[in-house]
Amino acid sequence: QGIVIAKGKQKGISLRKVLSFVVFGVFLSGPLGHAWLKFLNGRKNKLKGQKLILYKIALDRLAFGPCFNLLQMTFVYKAS
């Protein structure tokens, strides 16, 4: 059983795309995620408790998330 890509041009799994995701995950996603979380946890902030947690989640989802998704899709598109 294979995966059908849009417009039926390619059937099956694209090894090149899989390898692109692997390379992205190992060399970009891991280090970037680590640095981002280190940055979030290292910031001096007056907020405490649930407000601090909600602030970090909002910052992650609104600032880092869209940029990371754009980077990932661009990388995989260009690499495959």
Side-chain angles (χ1 to χ4, degrees):
Q1 178 175 342
I3 298 172
V4 177
I5 306 299
K7 298 181 185 174
K9 290 183 180 180
Q10 181 179 359
K11 293 184 180 181
I13 296 175
S14 168
L15 184 59
R16 189 173 180 130
K17 280 192 181 181
V18 170
L19 290 176
S20 297
F21 274 104
V22 169
V23 168
F24 181 82
V26 170
F27 295 107
L28 290 171
S29 177
L32 277 176
H34 175 74
W36 174 248
L37 290 177
K38 193 172 181 181
F39 168 76
L40 278 182
N41 291 328
R43 290 182 46 137
K44 300 294 181 201
N45 204 325
K46 295 179 182 179
L47 299 173
K48 301 284 182 203
Q50 282 187 324
K51 287 183 181 181
L52 177 61
I53 293 169
L54 291 174
Y55 171 76
K56 287 181 180 181
I57 290 172
L59 198 59
D60 183 56
R61 299 296 174 189
L62 297 174
F64 183 72
C67 296
F68 180 79
N69 286 341
L70 179 64
L71 176 67
Q72 180 184 17
M73 292 303 134
T74 302
F75 179 86
V76 171
Y77 174 75
K78 296 290 184 181
S80 61

